Amino acid sequence: MSNKKLIEGLNHAMNREVSTFLRYLLQAAGIKGAQWDAVRKMYQSEVVDEVGHAQYLADKIVMLGGTPKLNPDLTPPPGEVRAMLEHDIAEEEADVEGYRKLADLADAAGLIDLKMKMEEQAADEAGHAEEMKRMLG
Ligand SMILES: [Fe+2]
Ligand SMILES: [Fe+2]
């Protein structure tokens, strides 16, 4: 069975992760004001989580016989903190759905380790969305 569709899906997810950690890096750097310090720290710590997700995906693409191809979305992030959080909650929730679909594809390919990891990354993104919702109040 060909892994082409699975590799394409993993590459798409990798690019979403790279786009996300670049956006969070810029947002963490740009946030000023003591009232938003918790949000700034949250974005700083999530950069590391998203890099880890991207790294896992890039490694797995290679082990499935593919080549990771970078095509990140470099759209400048919103300048206002509440707009950042609203945008990122929607993106994190889209990532949960994306990982759910990849878990199904991995399961169909008989790749139990990948299925479980995709579910774990879905849970990480759901946690990120929840943390952001709490910060939004
Ligand atoms: Fe992620
Ligand atoms: Fe996330």
Side-chain angles (χ1 to χ4, degrees):
M1 176 192 151
S2 160
N3 287 326
K4 189 169 178 287
K5 197 174 166 208
L6 182 57
I7 289 169
E8 279 173 9
L10 294 172
N11 200 79
H12 177 75
M14 182 194 73
N15 276 295
R16 286 189 59 85
E17 293 290 351
V18 172
S19 305
T20 303
F21 77 66
L22 292 171
R23 187 170 71 254
Y24 290 0
L25 182 151
L26 291 181
Q27 290 176 176
I31 291 173
K32 291 190 267 183
Q35 72 273 34
W36 296 118
D37 199 51
V39 177
R40 171 174 146 79
K41 289 200 167 65
M42 178 272 297
Y43 279 124
Q44 286 176 329
S45 92
E46 288 190 11
V47 168
V48 179
D49 291 351
E50 314 300 17
V51 169
H53 293 165
Q55 190 166 39
Y56 174 84
L57 292 163
D59 286 352
K60 185 56 85 176
I61 288 164
V62 170
M63 292 314 292
L64 290 171
T67 303
K69 290 185 187 72
L70 279 177
N71 183 27
D73 177 357
L74 300 176
T75 308
E80 200 266 316
V81 176
R82 295 189 73 86
M84 282 178 199
L85 288 167
E86 281 164 6
H87 175 252
D88 293 330
I89 288 165
E91 294 295 320
E92 294 282 357
E93 286 174 345
D95 285 335
V96 172
E97 281 315 302
Y99 285 129
R100 209 194 292 272
K101 287 185 183 123
L102 283 171
D104 289 344
L105 282 177
D107 194 31
L111 300 169
I112 186 67
D113 60 326
L114 181 59
K115 173 185 189 276
M116 292 179 72
K117 191 75 183 173
M118 293 300 91
E119 288 174 344
E120 187 186 314
Q121 292 194 182
D124 288 345
E125 310 305 15
H128 291 163
E130 192 170 278
E131 198 178 353
M132 289 174 188
K133 282 182 189 165
R134 184 175 291 276
M135 289 182 160
L136 203 49

